[in-house]
Amino acid sequence: MTNLSKIFDFLHLIRDLKTTYRYGAQEREGGVHRDSSADHSWRVAIMVFLFAEELKLEIDIYKAVKIALTHDLVEAIAGDVDYRLIWLKKVSPEDKFKNEYAAMEKIRGTLPSPAGQEIFDLWLEFEKGTTPEGKFVNALDKMEGMTHLIEEGHMTYDVPESIPRYADQAVADFPALKNAYKIMKEKLKKEFEKGGIEWKNEYEK
């Protein structure tokens, strides 16, 4: 099989990312706009260069965009694990990582080298937060998820206490995003207030 043929096999494989829905949208379709992993990754990539340029970050923007575009490729095979399930302790972070690691190994094997290895390394960099670019995209990944929930509104918050501090640690690991995150929390707070959901002081910390 030629390398070009392998690339087309990979493109067919990741097609399922377009129909892998996030935040349990397949369960709550009536109240949630169907947001796919591909939709999410696209907006994270847009956020990468917008925030990097606005904040004049000293990072490799091209590399960060590549991380953003590839960080959820595993979900084409492993599916999306809704954070609510981890919050409710129905799925452990360790099991999630184990399943996604196996999926990424399959993806690595589908592509020719070195492309397959590069995508594997970019994903691991994102998961482990071993570089400024990995930490940056990890924070934006969570901020994009919160942005989606703000847009959907309080009617979709079946586990509201899991949302306000979702990106706290990731932003703490990349503090250049602190002011942007503060703006996002203000927007989320307004949605909580609209729905009569308690906004706790600890959410501000």
Side-chain angles (χ1 to χ4, degrees), residues 1-181:
M1 184 182 297
T2 67
N3 284 348
L4 290 177
S5 295
K6 288 182 178 180
I7 289 173
F8 279 110
D9 286 345
F10 167 74
L11 294 176
H12 292 314
L13 175 66
I14 65 170
R15 173 186 178 276
D16 289 343
L17 214 62
K18 297 179 182 180
T19 53
T20 300
Y21 296 107
R22 293 164 52 80
Y23 305 112
Q26 58 271 56
E27 301 170 12
R28 301 177 287 144
E29 186 177 355
V32 179
H33 292 115
R34 291 170 76 77
D35 181 52
S36 75
S37 295
D39 296 329
H40 161 73
S41 296
W42 166 78
R43 189 153 66 167
V44 174
I46 295 291
M47 292 169 72
V48 163
F49 72 81
L50 288 177
F51 282 112
E53 293 177 359
E54 175 63 26
L55 298 173
K56 296 178 174 56
L57 301 179
E58 294 184 1
I59 64 168
D60 184 337
I61 297 178
Y62 178 55
K63 181 181 181 182
V65 168
K66 288 199 288 186
I67 293 174
L69 290 172
T70 59
H71 80 282
D72 272 345
L73 289 183
V74 292
E75 294 182 5
I77 297 173
D80 174 59
V81 176
D82 195 315
Y83 178 70
R84 293 177 304 158
L85 300 179
I86 295 176
W87 176 268
L88 296 170
K89 301 188 184 306
K90 294 182 178 181
V91 176
S92 73
E94 293 78 16
D95 285 343
K96 177 179 181 291
F97 179 79
K98 181 180 178 180
N99 290 336
E100 292 183 348
Y101 189 94
M104 185 50 72
E105 284 192 316
K106 181 175 181 180
I107 289 171
R108 176 171 58 178
T110 301
L111 277 166
S113 184
Q117 187 62 47
E118 180 186 17
I119 286 178
F120 184 92
D121 291 342
L122 289 169
W123 173 77
L124 203 58
E125 192 172 319
F126 166 81
E127 287 290 323
K128 298 293 187 179
T130 53
T131 64
E133 290 79 13
K135 292 176 181 178
F136 178 49
V137 179
N138 197 295
L140 291 180
D141 167 61
K142 292 175 172 57
M143 288 173 63
E144 196 287 327
M146 291 178 71
T147 299
H148 175 75
L149 291 174
I150 290 167
E151 292 162 350
E152 291 305 321
H154 60 83
M155 294 302 290
T156 65
Y157 303 164
D158 53 345
V159 191
E161 63 274 19
S162 69
I163 303 170
R165 305 196 68 179
Y166 175 54
D168 280 13
Q169 185 58 57
V171 172
D173 290 339
F174 199 86
L177 289 169
K178 182 179 178 181
N179 288 338
Y181 190 43

Side-chain angles (χ1 to χ4, degrees), residues 160-161 164 189 191-193 195-203:
E161 63 274 19
K189 182 178 180 180
E191 288 302 323
F192 270 51
E193 291 171 347
I197 303 169
E198 180 185 6
W199 182 266
K200 300 177 182 179
N201 290 334
E202 65 192 63
Y203 298 159

